[in-house]
Amino acid sequence: MGKTIKGSNLKKTIHYVKKNGIRKTYYAMKERMQMEMADDYTYKPLSDTELKRQEKEGEKFSVKFSILVPAFETKEKYLRAMLDSALNQTYGNFELILADASESNRVERVVETYQDKRILYRRLKQNAGISANTNQALMYATGDYAGLLDHDDVLTPDALYEMASCIAEYEAKDITLQMLYSDEDKCDEKQSAYSELNQKPDLNLDLLLTNNYICHFMVIKRQLMQELGFRSVCDGAQDYDMALRVISALLGKGRRPTKKVDLPVAHIPKVLYHWRSHSQSTAVNPASKQYAYDAGKRALEDFLRSRGLKGVVSHLRHLGFYRVDYQPDLLSNRPDVAVVGGRLLDKKNRITGGIYTADGKPLYMGLHKEFSGYMHRAVLQQEAEMVDIRCMKVSRAAETILEEMIGLPYLQHPGTGRFDWSGCLNGNIDFVDLSRRFCEKVREQGYRIVWDPAMTESK
């Protein structure tokens, strides 16, 4: 992505050494360099034909969006780029609400040059913080859904069209979506180079409990967002806090589900948001907003308390990423989880298995144990479709499922509490196939499967 992001690596490295030590910094730098060399991503704008098709197709949708933008002393070139990205949407049923907390009139002067009535400008009496300022914008929202846009970022032209299309698709199945999110990337200051494509998974509760992977572009049912509101105690991580509280509200307040619950949340696997990288942004310099990561930790801790879960949240090596250690363990806290699996490593400390797609394809294969992988997901707890029985702990319900499959009593390793596969299974068995069939039955029974990379088995 250019020199803008790479030029910030020295600051990142110095901060990383102080926080994690030389050895971990070595592996982090090595992996970062490899990823930058391999990053050949290019954002491909939509053709004029497709843009016109969307304009025509969008006429059949009726959903209205409220785009909330808390502004503060925004540079003119960034402000105009943001405004233009909204006004150039192929789907035009929206309002753009700017809550301006600037001391100067630099934002107001720019907005006055735009005559589009969909722009609602509100000058705030004081800068009360990002959450309070966003709440001011939210107060004026009248759309069916409200979306969050940073004052120096930009939407792709099809952002609202894709959201409207997805909402209509679910409505045809009598499902009213409460939250939607898309993939994103980063752009440089001039918006001439793009990098770090963030391709996200569908809703993954346990991954969300490690970082705000939902992030941009996120829209939420306007009434639900207004009911929840943004909390100043989480300034800097207010979007993360909002996403967590939306999920908590959809799960049902104060309840711990005994089975996995399908929630009205949709992921659109397309880049609809460009996160601008400049010297003061967290996109370039994560350490510039340490307070934001502390706020994210508080948001997570509040989520656990609201769900009646006993866990300790800690920062991981990479800023903005967390770990939840449940007391006494995950299975005891989460009746919706029946299986917890870990990593399988070879003699060279490379991942050989442990987490797989539903059809048995291994994830993070060949990655060194000290590397964090794409978007750091190789070191994050996450819901999985399949884990390996050679490194797993299970609930009593899952023990019964496995016993029925293998025709033998479930044995637990006395030292680790994991499944003692070597004590009751033939070494020539196809472990991946057995793991696939076992996890499939677990999921059919409505339970979650979680992968925890901190649990490791060396082969």
Side-chain angles (χ1 to χ4, degrees):
M1 144 138 202
K3 298 179 180 178
T4 304
I5 287 184
K6 291 182 180 178
S8 69
N9 281 351
L10 179 59
K11 291 182 180 179
K12 289 184 180 180
T13 302
I14 293 173
H15 183 273
Y16 202 93
V17 170
K18 291 179 180 178
K19 181 171 180 277
N20 301 295
I22 294 177
R23 181 175 181 276
K24 293 185 182 298
T25 302
Y26 164 76
Y27 281 106
M29 288 180 61
K30 183 176 181 180
E31 182 176 23
R32 178 73 183 184
M33 290 174 63
Q34 290 179 3
M35 293 180 69
E36 285 186 347
M37 291 176 64
D39 189 357
D40 58 353
Y41 167 71
T42 301
Y43 173 71
K44 297 180 180 178
L46 297 176
S47 66
D48 290 341
T49 300
E50 174 59 16
L51 294 174
K52 291 178 181 178
R53 186 199 70 80
Q54 290 183 7
E55 290 179 1
K56 182 67 175 178
E57 181 77 9
E59 293 176 0
K60 69 180 184 181
F61 305 137
S62 60
V63 61
K64 179 181 179 181
F65 296 96
S66 297
I67 305 174
L68 312 180
V69 183
F72 180 77
E73 304 294 0
T74 316
K75 288 185 177 181
E76 180 174 352
K77 63 179 180 180
Y78 296 158
L79 181 60
R80 288 191 181 279
M82 181 275 294
L83 291 169
D84 292 343
S85 77
L87 299 179
N88 290 332
Q89 291 293 302
T90 58
Y91 183 75
N93 191 7
F94 69 87
E95 58 187 6
L96 179 68
I97 307 173
L98 284 95
D100 181 17
S102 304
E103 294 182 2
S104 70
N105 63 348
R106 64 191 299 177
V107 172
E108 186 173 11
R109 285 201 311 268
V110 172
V111 175
E112 286 176 346
T113 66
Y114 289 79
Q115 302 302 314
D116 199 302
K117 294 182 179 179
R118 292 172 297 180
I119 300 177
L120 280 68
Y121 175 81
R122 295 292 181 267
R123 185 69 177 265
L124 305 184
K125 294 181 179 180
Q126 62 177 341
N127 180 16
I130 185 68
S131 293
N133 296 350
T134 306
N135 282 334
Q136 288 291 307
L138 180 58
M139 182 175 65
Y140 295 101
T142 62
D144 301 294
Y145 290 82
L148 304 172
L149 175 59
D150 286 353
H151 65 161
D152 51 0
D153 293 343
V154 290
L155 296 174
T156 64
D158 56 332
L160 296 185
Y161 167 82
E162 292 293 349
M163 291 289 173
S165 178
C166 184
I167 290 167
E169 180 183 337
Y170 275 81
E171 285 181 342
K173 297 182 286 188
D174 292 324
I175 299 173
T176 301
L177 290 174
Q178 297 297 311
M179 181 166 70
L180 301 84
Y181 63 96
S182 74
D183 293 347
E184 64 188 274
D185 63 18
K186 292 185 175 69
C187 66
D188 63 3
E189 293 193 52
K190 297 180 179 180
Q191 205 178 328
S192 60
Y194 300 83
S195 74
E196 296 188 48
L197 168 64
N198 188 349
Q199 293 180 298
K200 306 169 187 177
D202 290 344
L203 182 61
N204 187 310
L205 175 59
D206 288 272
L207 184 62
L208 186 59
L209 298 184
T210 68
N211 80 300
N212 183 17
Y213 81 86
I214 288 179
C215 207
H216 309 302
F217 179 46
M218 175 177 70
V219 303
I220 296 169
K221 234 346 185 165
R222 186 259 305 166
Q223 183 176 356
L224 177 58
M225 185 183 285
Q226 288 177 330
E227 288 173 356
L228 294 173
F230 293 89
R231 303 191 302 167
S232 296
V233 70
C234 291
D235 271 3
Q238 68 284 340
D239 295 6
Y240 189 21
D241 180 56
M242 175 61 72
L244 288 170
R245 288 189 295 129
V246 166
I247 296 300
S248 186
L250 297 180
L251 286 171
K253 196 170 184 178
R255 286 175 18 211
R256 288 196 296 170
T258 56
K259 296 289 183 71
K260 179 177 179 178
V261 180
D262 290 327
L263 301 179
V265 176
H267 163 231
I268 299 174
K270 297 180 180 180
V271 171
L272 302 182
Y273 193 104
H274 300 307
W275 188 4
R276 192 184 300 277
S277 300
H278 52 82
S279 59
Q280 296 304 309
S281 74
T282 53
V284 164
N285 183 17
S288 67
K289 293 187 178 180
Q290 178 61 43
Y291 74 92
Y293 306 113
D294 293 334
K297 182 173 179 287
R298 288 194 295 274
L300 267 176
E301 291 168 341
D302 282 353
F303 176 87
L304 295 177
R305 279 194 294 269
S306 73
R307 309 305 312 163
L309 302 174
K310 297 179 180 179
V312 176
V313 180
S314 56
H315 293 281
L316 292 180
R317 285 183 290 168
H318 298 280
L319 291 169
F321 295 83
Y322 311 90
R323 176 176 175 81
V324 178
D325 286 296
Y326 294 91
Q327 304 167 354
D329 60 26
L330 192 156
L331 291 172
S332 300
N333 273 265
R334 298 272 301 279
D336 58 323
V337 178
V339 180
V340 179
R343 300 186 300 182
L344 297 179
L345 301 178
D346 64 15
K347 294 180 180 179
K348 294 184 178 180
N349 289 320
R350 296 174 302 192
I351 297 176
T352 60
I355 181 172
Y356 310 84
T357 60
D359 58 0
K361 179 181 178 182
L363 301 179
Y364 317 125
M365 189 73 170
L367 195 69
H368 191 277
K369 72 172 186 177
E370 295 291 346
F371 284 6
S372 61
Y374 178 70
M375 297 295 161
H376 305 306
R377 290 177 196 156
V379 297
L380 303 178
Q381 296 155 300
Q382 58 201 268
E383 186 176 349
E385 293 187 286
M386 172 183 163
V387 295
D388 203 298
I389 63 173
R390 288 169 290 182
C391 186
M392 73 174 187
K393 294 180 180 180
V394 304
S395 68
R396 186 67 191 96
E399 286 183 15
T400 302
I401 294 173
L402 188 57
E403 286 175 342
E404 292 175 352
M405 289 186 63
I406 64 177
L408 295 168
Y410 179 93
L411 295 180
Q412 186 179 97
H413 192 282
T416 64
R418 302 174 191 172
F419 172 51
D420 187 4
W421 58 271
S422 61
C424 61
L425 295 177
N426 187 312
N428 295 323
I429 196 170
D430 186 337
F431 288 102
V432 174
D433 181 65
L434 178 58
S435 299
R436 180 188 59 77
R437 291 186 287 114
F438 166 64
C439 290
E440 187 176 76
K441 288 186 176 295
V442 169
R443 287 187 284 108
E444 287 175 353
Q445 293 296 317
Y447 293 104
R448 296 184 196 271
I449 299 168
V450 172
W451 185 66
D452 183 355
M455 192 163 72
T456 300
E457 182 77 22
S458 297
K459 296 171 64 177

